[in-house]
Every structure is written in C-alpha cells, then in structure tokens.
Amino acid sequence: MKRLILITLLCMLFSCNGQDQNKKTINNKTTETSKMQNINIKSWKEKAVNYMKHHNEDGENITLDPPYYLFKEVDDHKKLVEFSGDDKDGYSLKETLPDPNIYNDIKFYRPDGSIQYTFRTLIVNPNIVVGEHIEYSGKGEEVKKTNYDEGFQSSPEKIIKFIESRNGSIKNELTIIDRERKNNISTWHIEFLNSKEGKVNVLTLEDHTLKILKSEERDSDFLQD
C-alpha cells in the first residue's frame, strides 16, 4: 500500500493540477542558491528500520522487495518530519509545520541520496502542487523550474479566508480545496461543512474575484438525524 502511495506521488509531479504550466529550463550552471544538500540515505534508513520496529501502522510486517522504509517524528519546534521510500523509486522527505501553516514542504531524492525535486503541496489536498516545482541534476544544479501558480491570482490563504467567512474550516475532514486552469480560465473548487447550516457547501469560484460560478449543497455522511 505504501509503495503505491510513493508511485502515485511520482506520477503527481508531472500531471497534477490539470492546468497549463509555464515550464522554464534553467541554464546548466551552478550557483550558491541552486545547489541543494544531499542526504545520508544510510542514516535515514537506520532511523526508519528502528521506527518501523515500534510503529507498525498496518498491523503486519512490510516485506517488499526492495524493502520499503518509513520514519516519522515531531521535532522540538513541533514540525512533523516524514521520510519514506525505497531503493527502486527513491525517497521523499516531507516537513510540515504546525498550525496556522497550510503547506507540506517536500524534497524528493534519488536512491543514492542526491536531490531530484523540491516542491510544496497543500495539507488539505496533497495532490495540489503550489509555488515552484524545481528539478535538479545529479550534481545538485537546477535544470527545470515549473511555476504551478502561473495563471492564478488568488492564493490558498485567500481561499481559506473565504471558507472561514462562510462558517467553514479546513480542519474538517470533509473540506476539499482544488483548482484548475483550462482554456485560459482559472477556477477553484471547494467543499466544506457549514457549521451553521449543517450542510456541505460545494462551490466553484472564479479565480480573480472569487465570484461564485456554481453552488450546491449536500448532506454530510457524518451528520446525525
């Protein structure tokens, strides 16, 4: 199951958001800002092996070939650090700061520990890449940069404020935030439980003005009669 999650993450890098992207190839030169530090895969594997001995989340032994590694910890600053992957597909290192942060910061490494990608996703929808997705060569040089915010004027923070203004919260498990750019038209799709109405509001918003283009309501499966 965890192998499937990792493969899905890899596929997401090239196809998520369903929008026209502005891809820029970076000149193949090294700068102080473009060089990224590699990680010691052996050290992280050792942490993962020890972690999995004491935290078997699936209730069964993981016997994949190559072995799958998983490690999680909350550091002194309450930042959640998650390391996962294998020697076939590579490894991801995800860092998530506590509230009011709304993002996951992710670095993806090749099996040898060299940096391959860096990008950021929304916590409420990890399939949405926001900001810049950067690809690196084996030497740690930037080789491609994709701006996933291209064509959008509203930020995720603005969408969250909109939801909160309508008595909703992103902390509810029913909340969905998604966005799409198609035929040069940018829209947001949001779903959230309205605490006053007791209904799930399903809205499509125009990106620039946040004008409601489509509005529906549905009952929550979790609400009691």
Side-chain angles (χ1 to χ4, degrees):
M1 177 63 183
K2 295 184 183 299
R3 173 73 59 78
L4 178 61
I5 294 173
L6 180 62
I7 293 173
T8 302
L9 177 62
L10 281 170
C11 294
M12 179 196 69
L13 303 179
F14 302 99
S15 62
C16 69
N17 283 2
Q19 56 185 298
D20 299 325
Q21 298 302 337
N22 179 28
K23 296 188 177 181
K24 301 177 182 178
T25 301
I26 309 302
N27 291 332
N28 189 21
K29 62 181 180 179
T30 303
T31 65
E32 291 299 322
T33 57
S34 67
K35 280 216 168 187
M36 298 292 294
Q37 185 176 0
N38 298 337
I39 60 172
N40 186 329
I41 288 293
K42 181 179 179 181
S43 174
W44 281 98
K45 284 182 180 180
E46 291 174 352
K47 291 182 180 180
V49 169
N50 183 61
Y51 175 86
M52 291 190 298
K53 284 180 180 179
H54 300 92
H55 302 83
N56 197 334
E57 296 180 346
D58 291 337
E60 57 185 33
N61 293 326
I62 300 175
T63 57
L64 301 175
D65 184 21
Y68 183 86
Y69 296 89
L70 174 67
F71 170 77
K72 297 181 183 181
E73 73 171 1
V74 177
D75 66 14
D76 294 338
H77 302 287
K78 297 183 179 180
K79 177 175 66 179
L80 174 63
V81 178
E82 300 178 70
F83 170 82
S84 62
D86 61 36
D87 281 337
K88 179 181 179 181
D89 297 314
Y91 294 88
S92 68
L93 186 61
K94 180 172 72 173
E95 298 181 340
T96 307
L97 292 170
D99 290 342
N101 168 60
I102 61 172
Y103 299 106
N104 299 311
D105 289 303
I106 300 173
K107 297 182 178 70
F108 198 88
Y109 298 88
R110 298 177 180 88
D112 65 357
S114 62
I115 188 71
Q116 187 171 7
Y117 305 110
T118 61
F119 57 101
R120 170 175 276 193
T121 68
L122 284 178
I123 294 175
V124 69
N125 184 357
N127 290 324
I128 292 187
V129 176
V130 294
E132 292 182 338
H133 174 287
I134 303 175
E135 180 178 349
Y136 298 87
S137 71
K139 296 181 180 179
E141 301 166 347
E142 292 183 10
V143 294
K144 184 181 290 185
K145 184 180 291 185
T146 305
N147 182 8
Y148 278 88
D149 291 341
E150 184 74 20
F152 290 93
Q153 296 190 43
S154 292
S155 65
E157 287 87 353
K158 189 173 181 179
I159 300 300
I160 288 171
K161 287 182 179 179
F162 177 90
I163 291 174
E164 292 174 342
S165 72
R166 299 175 72 90
N167 305 305
S169 171
I170 65 166
K171 296 180 181 180
N172 189 287
E173 60 185 332
L174 298 175
T175 302
I176 294 174
I177 298 176
D178 204 351
R179 66 183 181 180
E180 180 181 43
R181 180 166 175 79
K182 189 174 182 180
N183 298 326
N184 294 321
I185 298 174
S186 302
T187 57
W188 292 81
H189 172 84
I190 60 176
E191 299 183 17
F192 57 90
L193 179 64
N194 188 306
S195 60
K196 287 189 176 181
E197 297 175 358
K199 297 281 188 179
V200 175
N201 294 166
V202 182
L203 307 176
T204 299
L205 308 176
E206 191 275 328
D207 170 60
H208 179 50
T209 63
L210 296 189
K211 177 183 177 181
I212 298 176
L213 303 177
K214 185 178 179 181
S215 177
E216 298 178 7
E217 287 185 350
R218 63 175 173 81
D219 291 325
S220 167
D221 294 337
F222 299 94
L223 292 179
Q224 302 294 323
D225 294 332

